[in-house]
Amino acid sequence: MAASDDELAERLVALYPVLRCLSARALAELCQTASRVQLAAGAAVFDECQNCPGFPLILAGTIKVVKSTAAGREMLLYRVEPGDSCIITSSCLLGRSRYSARGIAELPLTLIVLPPPLFEQMIAEQPLFRDFVFHLFAERIAELMQLVEEVAFHRLDQRLAKLLLARGETVRATHQALADELGSVREIVSRLLKGLAGQGLVVLGREQISIVDREGLRQLADSGR
């Protein structure tokens, strides 16, 4: 392998230890065969109804996977970070179907894409790689089932409180970004945030929310249980 391929192989194995199951020759062929992609933040990684070009292995950055409505609203399904896999991509490759959601580079993104024939070969011939793909599949399905439960059975203010608590003491995000993550609209989220501020739970600033009463916010988040 060339020096650049050596470095790529080291980064891949560090992020995806399952690739240690490959021989040095097989790993070299993977690095030479896979496409290398760099995308700016906000760029489309894949879109609904698009054919799947291959299986992504993320070296840097984050992909957010969202489902859009005809009215333009979005629901965040999950994020894919270095070391993770995208189950929608996996399902498209295994089922030979098209994408049913959108993938967007949330941060500047560097990844390599295994072409479908190589992905299928690794699934068939490498049990550890196959276990890795299906283990993450199971984890993502559990996360999506939790999301369905929250959307179906929890009020939006409870979900907003839970989201804020998960972000730390200071949340740096626009109201629109929070609305997108919750599958709502900015006006409703802004109204709820003003209500939380009025209760003394948070302080609103420019593109940031500071939590001042974490226990009160937690009680709100848990009130539907």
Side-chain angles (χ1 to χ4, degrees), residues 155-167:
R155 300 192 315 267
L156 187 59
D157 60 342
Q158 296 169 334
R159 295 171 53 217
L160 175 59
K162 182 178 179 181
L163 176 60
L164 295 176
L165 288 168
R167 294 288 189 88

Side-chain angles (χ1 to χ4, degrees), residues 22 28 30 35 37 47 59 69 73-74 81 95 109 115 117 139 143 169 171 177 190 214 224:
L22 300 177
L30 182 152
S35 302
V37 179
D47 210 341
L59 300 175
T69 68
R73 289 173 56 184
E74 291 184 346
E81 300 179 342
L109 192 64
E139 286 186 344
E143 292 174 7
E169 297 302 320
V171 180
S190 294
R214 196 169 186 84

Side-chain angles (χ1 to χ4, degrees), residues 146 149-166 182 188-189 192-193 196 199 201 216-225:
Q146 182 179 358
E149 178 182 344
E150 290 180 357
V151 172
F153 302 117
H154 293 183
R155 300 192 315 267
L156 187 59
D157 60 342
Q158 296 169 334
R159 295 171 53 217
L160 175 59
K162 182 178 179 181
L163 176 60
L164 295 176
L165 288 168
L182 293 168
I188 294 176
V189 169
L192 290 174
L193 286 169
L196 297 180
Q199 297 173 57
L201 301 177
L217 204 59
R218 183 177 290 108
Q219 289 178 9
L220 173 60
D222 294 341
S223 62
R225 295 183 181 181

Side-chain angles (χ1 to χ4, degrees), residues 208-220:
Q208 77 173 36
I209 300 122
S210 300
I211 297 175
V212 294
D213 184 354
R214 196 169 186 84
E215 182 56 33
L217 204 59
R218 183 177 290 108
Q219 289 178 9
L220 173 60

Side-chain angles (χ1 to χ4, degrees), residues 52-57 85-86 89-90 93 112-115 119 129 132-133:
C52 180
F55 184 77
L57 298 173
S85 76
C86 175
T89 297
S90 301
L93 291 169
I112 70 168
V113 180
L114 308 184
F119 172 78
F129 181 77
F132 163 76
V133 171

